[in-house]
Amino acid sequence: MADTVSIFVEKLSNLVLQEAFLFGQVEEQVKLLRDELKWMRLFLKDADSQSLCNEKIKLWVEQIRNVTHDAEDVIDEFILDMDRRQLRLNTLKFLKCLPTCVGFADKLPFIHELDGRVKEINIRIERIMANRSKYGLEALMASNSSSTTDQVVAYKEKWAQVVEGSDVVGIEDGTEVVTQMLTKGEMRRAVVSIVGMGGLGKTTLAKKVYNHSGVKRHFDCIAWVCVSQEFKPRELLLSIISSVMSLSNEEKKEMREVELGGKLRECLNDKKYLVVMDDVWSIEAWSSLCSYLPESRNGSKVLMTTRNKEIAAQANGHEVVGHTDSQALVYELPIMDDDESWELFLKKTFGARDNTHVPSSKTLEELGRKIVAKCNGLPLAIVVLGGLLSTKERTEPSWERVLESIDWHLNRGPESCFGILALSYNDLPYYLKSCFLYCGIFPEDSEIKASKLIHLWIAEGFVQRRGIEKLEDIAEDYLYELIHRSMVQVARKKANGRVMSCRIHDLLRDLAISEARDAKLFEELRHLNCCYGEMSSQFKLNKCMNGYLGVEQLTNLQTLALPVGSWLEGDGLGKLTQLRKLRLVGPLAPYLKKGFFDSIAELTTLRTLFLGNWQVDKKKTLLNRVGLKWQENVVEEKTLLPGLMSFSRHTYLYKVHLYGKVDKLPEQTEFYPPNLLKLTLSKCELEDDPMLILEKLPTLRILGLLRGSYVGKKMVCSCGGFLQLESLELNGLNELEELTVEEGAMCNLRTLQILSCDKMKKFPHGLLQMKKLEKLGLIRTSGKLIEEVQQTEGEEWDRIRLITFIDK
């Protein structure tokens, strides 16, 4: 979550620098929002890792998450609106006159709206941050940090005791290998490491080796210390000292860390010792102790368990060179195979010491094997579920209930299987957290192509720049760091040793999906935009269209602006019942079928609809950059409207833009949305005068008839028509020769733009009587029309000239 805030803070910082987008007080509001989010990010670093086990902290983090998403929605929507208007204005080629025409005035409503919405968000943030003190969250986080660590340490020790000894399955080879590493080989003090993901049994294996009779005979003294994430060097020293020497309580209280370290070094100086450091999360833990452990060449050893291969390599003085770790004195604990998993399950469920105890029926055994399969070779999960079943009735309904609720049983607080795995997630640096979460979108047990994953991370904006390094190289470092931390597994390597593909353990995938769901990265995705060659998230586009997460699952979408594609097939679009804005562009013709029209009819919450049916040069399309393609074959052109049903139920649909062939507009006003405020038509190639129908729409205020929308020669605005119309734009109507405005038509019109209507030679005299008309733009129209406006004398013509902008 904190990483999500970090990405948005960077976006806000870039926006503040682009002062062309911001005016006056709005800039101050956005800067205030940016600064508040920076503070929130700092508190989230502590709160994020503790929300798993405290409902108050979880609620506070969720509120921050929601307000951050809302803020991002506001900024994204604002940028898209401004970019769209800027692009449109650039095509008009009269930007030099914007202050007196439509430029600045056209932007003012958006600026005003942005100011109000950002103010609302800042007020919400202020209240959320005030709750931190009001409900004692700061003190709660301080106390919760140490207590959570203590709980996890206690649970790890309890779990290790349950599994070790006779219950250990499949680690005999590991015990032998690690014992040999400790007792054989060179005599220098060295660090032997057991590495693997959480719950794999590192502590269990270390305990087995620690209690091995041969190991005890080999060393003069041995000590065990549990390090964990929150460690204190002084307490680690005291724990080791209590195993190898005696100190009075008074000495333990009064002696400083350096003095304790000196005592320990003096005690061990002439001894062959073994110190086990269990659960090491950072190289600092080793650095804090290594100077107090003598380096005499008498065969002394340190045994370390860690989830991070890089720590293991560094602790033993071997650096990770390139992407190949030093394998010296490192034992990587493998995942259990099917037979070992089943054997451990039987022992935990039935207390069996051999294979004589098996489920009492074939069906019960099948259920048991399905439960074991869900654990995917992770001993911790097997122990948790096997222990649970040992307390249940050995009946099919009882085991079926456990199978159906496995996720719930594995996800009950910090002591659960998920709680142990979540420690690894919480320990990730913030730039890696989102990268890990997005691994959850891939199907179970699938191989993930490394190059594809890297490009998706870059497209999503998760990869932070480091000087002049290529983003691909930085992203590859991210992948290797996740591998070193045992969060991602290598599936295949290339001949040069680099990773070709990887996979994620099923339970870690479940954790990623759970955390991503809380962070609202998947199901709560609300805005998916791809406009003018730019998109809010290239990764989200790829995710939807490649089937990892189908569009129909994004049921909370409010904005969908995408190129058309195969994802439109079926009825998935109709399931987006929360959709407010829909923009579909590209070759729509293959999808103009009943299913598509049925889906549109279901979207009754729509406020804005844009349907653009056109062909695009495949070589230039944005989709090629994310591995998608347009239809290869040229298809017969279809019209947009014949299949569309009545919009009478779309009571919130205020804006409609149709781009593409339309044979004829429906004459019944009931067809149109009842509250339609803005209608834009482009490339419709209408042969009949559209004004005869559109002037009857009772709520229409803005009408745009753009390039190719009408191919006739004459338009008539009748008396009593367009009663609410305030703005009219006629643009690129190449065949239009005459516009007639009858007296009493368009009585509320304030703005009229006539652009690129070359054959229109005569000025519509009906405009002379329109007292409310405030702005008239004549751009690239015929010389005769402009000459008539400039030279005709009379009081009414003088008024028209005052409000007219002319660009030849």
Side-chain angles (χ1 to χ4, degrees):
M1 171 58 208
D3 190 47
T4 305
V5 175
S6 300
I7 293 171
F8 182 51
V9 169
E10 183 177 349
K11 179 187 294 187
L12 266 184
S13 299
N14 293 335
L15 180 62
V16 171
L17 294 176
Q18 299 171 20
E19 295 187 8
F21 288 116
L22 302 166
F23 299 89
Q25 190 63 33
V26 185
E27 183 179 353
E28 294 304 316
Q29 288 294 326
V30 175
K31 285 181 178 179
L32 176 62
L33 175 58
R34 178 193 60 182
D35 294 341
E36 285 292 332
L37 286 168
K38 286 181 178 180
W39 279 106
M40 291 162 68
R41 178 178 57 183
L42 294 176
F43 284 102
L44 278 172
K45 286 186 176 181
D46 294 326
D48 221 10
S49 61
Q50 297 176 39
S51 61
L52 182 70
C53 51
N54 189 284
E55 290 300 322
K56 289 183 180 180
I57 298 174
K58 185 174 183 178
L59 176 61
W60 189 68
V61 170
E62 183 178 347
Q63 290 177 342
I64 293 179
R65 178 185 294 119
N66 289 336
V67 76
T68 304
H69 282 306
D70 289 343
E72 187 168 14
D73 291 346
V74 170
I75 298 301
D76 276 349
E77 187 175 336
F78 174 72
I79 292 174
L80 282 169
D81 281 337
M82 295 301 289
D83 284 348
R84 187 177 295 116
R85 287 182 166 269
Q86 192 67 41
L87 181 70
R88 181 181 169 195
L89 291 172
N90 286 342
T91 65
L92 300 182
K93 297 182 180 179
F94 63 100
L95 294 178
K96 59 185 178 183
C97 301
L98 284 179
T100 59
C101 191
V102 295
F104 183 72
D106 202 33
K107 293 180 180 179
L108 281 179
F110 292 98
I111 298 298
H112 180 72
E113 182 181 1
L114 175 68
D115 185 37
R117 294 175 70 179
V118 173
K119 280 181 180 177
E120 289 178 9
I121 288 172
N122 281 330
I123 292 172
R124 286 173 58 192
I125 289 176
E126 185 178 351
R127 291 172 180 169
I128 291 171
M129 296 301 281
N131 286 341
R132 193 178 70 251
S133 302
K134 181 179 179 180
Y135 296 107
L137 293 180
E138 290 172 318
L140 186 61
M141 284 189 288
S143 62
N144 203 52
S145 176
S146 58
S147 63
T148 301
T149 301
D150 293 342
Q151 290 175 12
V152 172
V153 170
Y155 182 71
K156 278 173 55 65
E157 293 178 348
K158 179 178 72 175
W159 179 78
Q161 292 170 2
V162 170
V163 182
E164 69 181 9
S166 59
D167 278 343
V168 173
V169 174
I171 65 170
E172 291 80 6
D173 292 343
T175 303
E176 181 64 27
V177 171
V178 176
T179 298
Q180 291 293 321
M181 289 180 177
L182 293 175
T183 58
K184 306 295 182 181
E186 56 186 293
M187 298 300 292
R188 68 180 179 88
R189 185 203 69 188
V191 179
V192 175
S193 298
I194 301 173
V195 176
M197 65 178 284
L200 203 53
K202 300 182 296 298
T203 299
T204 302
L205 176 56
K207 282 279 188 182
K208 184 76 172 176
V209 172
Y210 183 76
N211 293 322
H212 193 281
S213 58
V215 171
K216 289 185 174 181
R217 288 195 302 270
H218 184 78
F219 294 100
D220 299 329
C221 58
I222 59 177
W224 180 286
V225 58
C226 189
V227 181
S228 295
Q229 288 170 299
E230 303 293 334
F231 70 91
K232 297 179 181 178
R234 191 175 187 279
E235 293 181 0
L236 297 182
L237 285 171
L238 285 172
S239 181
I240 298 172
I241 286 172
S242 64
S243 298
V244 299
M245 61 181 293
S246 297
L247 283 181
S248 66
N249 290 334
E250 186 176 342
E251 287 176 312
K252 291 178 182 179
K253 289 180 181 180
E254 294 181 357
M255 293 179 70
R256 294 175 299 159
E257 178 187 328
V258 175
E259 294 172 317
L260 289 171
K263 284 282 188 180
L264 177 61
R265 185 170 51 243
E266 183 181 339
C267 172
L268 297 179
N269 199 44
D270 58 351
K271 291 183 175 68
K272 184 192 296 185
Y273 60 85
L274 169 65
V275 173
V276 180
M277 297 178 64
D278 183 41
D279 201 20
V280 177
W281 289 86
S282 67
I283 194 62
E284 287 74 23
W286 165 243
S287 300
S288 67
L289 289 182
C290 65
S291 62
Y292 303 128
L293 301 176
E295 296 189 61
S296 52
R297 301 179 64 83
N298 61 359
S300 295
K301 294 290 190 296
V302 174
L303 177 60
M304 178 186 295
T305 69
T306 181
R307 304 183 189 192
N308 193 329
K309 299 176 191 176
E310 195 166 352
I311 292 174
Q314 291 177 359
N316 204 32
H318 297 274
E319 295 183 356
V320 177
V321 180
H323 301 301
T324 304
D325 11 325
S326 169
Q327 296 299 315
L329 301 180
V330 175
Y331 179 75
E332 190 167 353
L333 196 59
I335 290 175
M336 282 185 165
D337 61 29
D338 292 344
D339 292 338
E340 292 168 342
S341 298
W342 181 243
E343 184 181 348
L344 178 59
F345 175 77
L346 292 178
K347 289 180 177 180
K348 295 311 302 175
T349 306
F350 297 100
R353 300 299 174 183
D354 52 44
N355 288 329
T356 57
H357 289 74
V358 294
S360 55
S361 71
K362 184 71 172 177
T363 305
L364 205 62
E365 180 177 346
E366 290 176 356
L367 289 170
R369 289 192 180 275
K370 288 180 180 179
I371 292 171
V372 170
K374 290 284 188 180
C375 301
N376 201 21
L378 193 69
L380 174 60
I382 297 171
V383 168
V384 169
L385 295 176
L388 173 67
L389 289 174
S390 69
T391 66
K392 302 283 185 182
E393 293 181 0
R394 295 172 186 175
T395 62
E396 293 170 13
S398 179
W399 283 31
E400 283 177 348
R401 285 193 293 270
V402 172
L403 178 61
E404 292 169 357
S405 58
I406 278 181
D407 291 345
W408 185 83
H409 288 298
L410 295 178
N411 190 20
R412 291 191 295 173
E415 292 187 354
S416 68
C417 182
F418 268 27
I420 298 298
L421 295 177
L423 293 176
S424 294
Y425 171 71
N426 291 332
D427 188 60
L428 290 175
Y430 288 100
Y431 60 84
L432 284 183
K433 284 192 172 181
S434 294
C435 294
F436 169 72
L437 293 185
Y438 271 83
C439 292
I441 70 167
F442 294 94
E444 282 185 334
D445 300 321
S446 65
E447 277 194 27
I448 306 169
K449 192 175 180 181
S451 58
K452 181 174 186 176
L453 185 61
I454 285 170
H455 286 121
L456 292 178
W457 285 343
I458 293 172
E460 186 62 19
F462 293 151
V463 182
Q464 301 176 3
R465 291 196 173 275
R466 298 189 309 216
I468 61 173
E469 282 189 79
K470 291 182 179 180
L471 289 177
E472 287 80 2
D473 293 339
I474 300 170
E476 190 174 20
D477 285 344
Y478 287 7
L479 175 60
Y480 282 104
E481 190 167 352
L482 286 173
I483 292 171
H484 292 150
R485 291 172 173 270
S486 303
M487 301 296 285
V488 173
Q489 304 161 5
V490 176
R492 285 189 293 170
K493 288 188 176 183
K494 300 178 182 178
N496 60 6
R498 295 170 69 179
V499 173
M500 178 184 295
S501 63
C502 58
R503 61 166 50 94
I504 182 172
H505 189 280
D506 285 351
L507 291 181
L508 280 173
R509 177 180 177 272
D510 291 343
L511 173 68
I513 292 174
S514 175
E515 292 291 329
R517 184 180 296 115
D518 286 345
K520 300 184 178 180
L521 293 178
F522 294 161
E523 289 81 358
E524 296 300 318
L525 181 64
R526 293 185 293 182
H527 298 270
L528 194 56
N529 291 297
C530 173
C531 298
Y532 305 112
E534 297 294 333
M535 66 180 71
S536 61
S537 172
Q538 291 181 350
F539 180 75
K540 292 168 186 172
L541 172 66
N542 194 287
K543 179 173 63 179
C544 292
M545 292 191 172
N546 279 353
Y548 301 130
L549 188 63
V551 170
E552 70 275 3
Q553 297 184 45
L554 305 177
T555 53
N556 289 288
L557 268 184
Q558 295 181 12
T559 301
L560 179 61
L562 288 181
V564 301
S566 58
W567 63 274
L568 269 176
E569 295 174 351
D571 61 352
L573 182 63
K575 296 178 181 179
L576 307 185
T577 56
Q578 302 298 315
L579 211 56
R580 305 290 191 271
K581 295 184 179 181
L582 176 62
R583 179 183 174 87
L584 301 177
V585 294
L588 259 175
Y591 310 104
L592 295 179
K593 303 173 183 177
K594 186 176 185 303
F596 174 78
F597 298 127
D598 289 343
S599 294
I600 297 294
E602 292 299 317
L603 304 179
T604 55
T605 60
L606 277 180
R607 297 178 182 176
T608 300
L609 174 64
F610 184 119
L611 297 180
N613 181 23
W614 64 68
Q615 293 290 340
V616 179
D617 185 350
K618 291 182 293 181
K619 294 181 180 179
K620 295 182 179 180
T621 178
L622 168 69
L623 295 183
N624 291 113
R625 287 192 269 152
V626 288
L628 304 173
K629 297 180 179 179
W630 293 113
Q631 292 289 112
E632 294 289 341
N633 301 319
V634 177
V635 296
E636 181 182 355
E637 186 178 21
K638 296 183 180 180
T639 61
L640 283 171
L641 287 187
L644 285 178
M645 303 176 185
S646 169
F647 286 97
S648 59
R649 293 195 301 140
H650 293 69
T651 55
Y652 301 103
L653 186 53
Y654 306 126
K655 299 179 183 179
V656 175
H657 188 159
L658 300 180
Y659 184 114
K661 179 73 172 175
V662 174
D663 286 337
K664 188 176 181 181
L665 291 176
E667 296 182 7
Q668 301 81 8
T669 56
E670 293 79 10
F671 172 86
Y672 301 89
N675 298 306
L676 184 64
L677 297 179
K678 180 178 181 180
L679 176 64
T680 306
L681 302 178
S682 305
K683 293 288 185 180
C684 297
E685 301 180 21
L686 292 167
E687 296 180 1
D688 297 332
D689 183 359
M691 297 305 197
L692 300 177
I693 296 171
L694 299 181
E695 67 182 6
K696 299 174 184 177
L697 300 182
T699 60
L700 192 64
R701 294 188 180 184
I702 303 173
L703 175 61
L705 299 178
L706 308 186
R707 191 169 303 278
S709 58
Y710 173 54
V711 294
K713 296 181 178 181
K714 185 176 180 180
M715 276 183 178
V716 178
C717 298
S718 307
C719 176
F722 291 117
L723 292 179
Q724 300 295 326
L725 196 68
E726 297 177 359
S727 176
L728 173 63
E729 179 179 345
L730 306 177
N731 184 348
L733 305 183
N734 297 327
E735 302 301 320
L736 182 65
E737 296 179 1
E738 181 181 351
L739 172 64
T740 300
V741 181
E742 296 181 355
E743 186 176 353
M746 299 189 291
C747 55
N748 284 297
L749 193 68
R750 286 173 170 78
T751 301
L752 173 62
Q753 300 285 344
I754 301 176
L755 303 90
S756 300
C757 297
D758 302 334
K759 293 185 178 181
M760 189 173 171
K761 312 294 185 182
K762 188 174 178 62
F763 185 79
H765 286 198
L767 298 177
L768 297 174
Q769 311 301 321
M770 301 178 68
K771 304 301 182 183
K772 293 186 178 180
L773 190 64
E774 298 172 351
K775 288 191 296 185
L776 173 62
L778 302 177
I779 299 99
R780 297 191 299 280
T781 56
S782 73
K784 287 187 177 181
L785 189 154
I786 293 175
E787 182 179 343
E788 181 181 9
V789 172
Q790 290 177 330
Q791 297 182 8
T792 306
E793 297 181 356
E795 184 178 339
E796 292 175 341
W797 287 99
D798 290 340
R799 190 184 69 83
I800 286 293
R801 278 190 287 272
L802 285 174
I803 63 172
T804 301
F805 166 75
I806 297 175
D807 186 352
K808 299 178 181 180

